[in-house]
Amino acid sequence: MTKERNKKEKVPMTKGKKIILAILIPVFSLILAVAITITSILLIGKAALTDKDITITPNENIETTVEDDNTVTYEGKKYRYKSSMTTVLCMGVDNTKKESGGAYVTGRAGQADAIYLIAIDTNTGKTSVIGIPRDSMADVEVYSKAGTYVGTEKTQICLSYAYGDGKDLSAQNTAKSVSRFLYGMPVNSYFAVDSKSIAPLHNVVGNITVTPNETIENYNIKFYKGQPFKLTGENVFNYLQARNDKTADASLLRLNRQTDYLKKYTAAVLSKTKSDITFPVKLYNKIVKNAVTDLDVSRVSYLATKIVGQKDNLSLDFVQIEGTQSVGEDSFAEFTPDETALFETVLNVFYEEIN
């Protein structure tokens, strides 16, 4: 575990001058109080974000052995879960599909059209962003209108959010589906935003130029393939939401565009955070009223220090899940992950090889 490093203010002191001592003693007391407060926040954040009791549940088609101590043997090598890992499930929610009603309105609480799991190694600061296609076929918990648990259904993972209240229950249900999809890996926190939050989030970092991977149109704004386009708070949602429903791989193409945008957006956020460690907290405070999340200031502060604390060895990887896109019997798009490749991705992100 790396030690937290707090910058201490250096105050010059001239020996033998009692008046200066009288001034410096309360100053140092204030600095000490601030240091203790910051340390407390970070410790609270870490305690709430890490989970050591993890059991991986690989698909039966994958040739591997899980030992009693939860180590994994795969292709002659042994792996152990990194207890320093923490994750945040980020969701972009389409509330236009939400219908009125009480909790657990059957499949009508909106959909998680963008799903990203951020996995952070709190020892090293290495961060992996796993983009999960919205059409991924996963085991989703289904509930009746009365909120009664019906069972699990193999369906698009984006529908996990639909079986809930459009808030925390929906986010928690999506977290369960993502955990199952990733062979039991933990989802320690969640953060869901809808269209109202996109513009404010974008405006905080300023304009970002993207190059569309296909020609698309949304709300009378047209984006041309291969032609750079400057995104502003007024058009960023149009770009991130747009997809061409006439092709089976529409969601994958959109996911690739969203990932490209996130790479640029994250780079801008990291740049600002390096010069102002409180920037993520400011970002959090700006949109938290319109977000569905179990993250608080202590957790956000801790995550910020872990990600940018390794300035010389900062590592941020965007992970793309391999698989095939097709059209199901109900004419809806389905993404089927390559089970072996997905399992190896889990090992690469969450585990370390041991002798």
Side-chain angles (χ1 to χ4, degrees), residues 5-300:
R5 295 175 292 179
N6 297 317
K7 294 183 179 179
K8 297 182 179 180
E9 182 179 352
K10 294 182 179 180
V11 182
M13 182 174 69
T14 304
K15 295 182 179 179
K17 293 187 179 181
K18 293 183 179 179
I19 187 170
I20 296 181
L21 281 174
I23 294 174
L24 291 182
I25 288 175
V27 169
F28 279 118
S29 298
L30 177 61
I31 293 173
L32 180 60
V34 171
I36 291 174
T37 301
I38 292 175
T39 302
S40 298
I41 288 176
L42 297 182
L43 289 175
I44 291 170
K46 179 185 178 182
L49 286 169
T50 53
D51 189 348
K52 297 180 180 180
D53 187 18
I54 301 301
T55 301
I56 191 169
T57 54
N59 189 289
E60 60 183 10
N61 296 326
I62 299 174
E63 296 184 7
T64 186
T65 303
V66 180
E67 308 292 345
D68 292 337
D69 60 356
N70 204 26
T71 56
V72 179
T73 301
Y74 177 69
E75 293 190 342
K77 297 179 180 179
K78 184 168 286 190
Y79 301 85
R80 177 175 54 210
Y81 178 78
K82 292 185 286 188
S83 60
S84 56
M85 295 300 297
T86 187
T87 59
V88 182
L89 178 62
C90 295
M91 295 162 278
V93 179
D94 185 355
N95 279 335
T96 61
K97 299 181 178 68
K98 181 177 179 179
E99 297 185 20
S100 61
Y104 286 117
V105 174
T106 311
R108 299 177 181 177
Q111 296 181 12
D113 275 348
I115 305 174
Y116 290 88
L117 186 70
I118 303 176
I120 306 166
D121 186 336
T122 60
N123 277 350
T124 65
K126 179 181 178 180
T127 302
S128 300
V129 182
I130 305 174
I132 301 175
R134 70 181 296 280
D135 299 326
S136 297
M137 300 305 289
D139 293 324
V140 174
E141 290 189 2
V142 178
Y143 294 79
S144 68
K145 289 185 178 181
T148 303
Y149 174 67
V150 176
T152 60
E153 179 182 336
K154 200 79 169 181
T155 187
Q156 294 171 315
I157 200 167
C158 65
L159 296 178
S160 300
Y161 202 90
Y163 290 97
D165 57 354
K167 297 181 181 179
D168 289 281
L169 294 177
S170 291
Q172 291 163 10
N173 199 35
T174 306
K176 292 176 184 177
S177 294
V178 169
S179 179
R180 292 193 193 96
F181 184 74
L182 296 177
Y183 303 114
M185 292 302 97
V187 176
N188 299 107
S189 307
Y190 55 83
F191 198 95
V193 296
D194 60 17
S195 58
K196 296 178 183 177
S197 301
I198 301 301
L201 276 171
H202 179 88
N203 289 334
V204 169
V205 301
N207 296 334
I208 292 176
T209 299
V210 295
T211 303
N213 57 352
E214 64 175 332
T215 298
I216 48 175
E217 184 175 357
N218 196 18
Y219 293 105
N220 297 321
I221 299 179
K222 198 163 187 177
F223 307 92
Y224 294 93
K225 180 178 179 179
Q227 294 187 13
F229 191 95
K230 182 180 291 186
L231 296 178
T232 66
E234 295 180 352
N235 57 39
V236 62
F237 176 71
N238 302 65
Y239 180 76
L240 296 177
Q241 184 201 45
R243 64 171 175 162
N244 182 3
D245 290 329
K246 295 180 181 180
T247 61
D249 61 348
S251 293
L252 281 181
L253 288 170
R254 180 172 65 176
L255 177 63
N256 290 335
R257 285 198 305 277
Q258 291 172 345
T259 300
D260 176 65
Y261 170 81
L262 283 176
K263 287 180 181 179
K264 294 179 172 63
Y265 182 86
T266 304
V269 171
L270 289 176
S271 177
K272 289 181 178 295
T273 304
K274 285 182 179 179
S275 58
D276 179 10
I277 194 64
T278 66
F279 182 74
V281 176
K282 294 175 182 176
L283 203 61
Y284 168 85
N285 289 332
K286 193 174 186 65
I287 65 166
V288 68
K289 291 182 179 179
N290 292 322
V292 176
T293 182
D294 61 351
L295 284 172
D296 55 22
V297 173
S298 67
R299 295 186 180 197
V300 173

Side-chain angles (χ1 to χ4, degrees), residues 305-324:
T305 61
K306 292 291 97 181
I307 294 175
V308 302
Q310 305 289 332
K311 291 185 178 181
D312 296 331
N313 300 304
L314 181 62
S315 176
L316 182 62
D317 299 324
F318 283 81
V319 180
Q320 185 173 356
I321 295 177
E322 298 179 20
T324 57

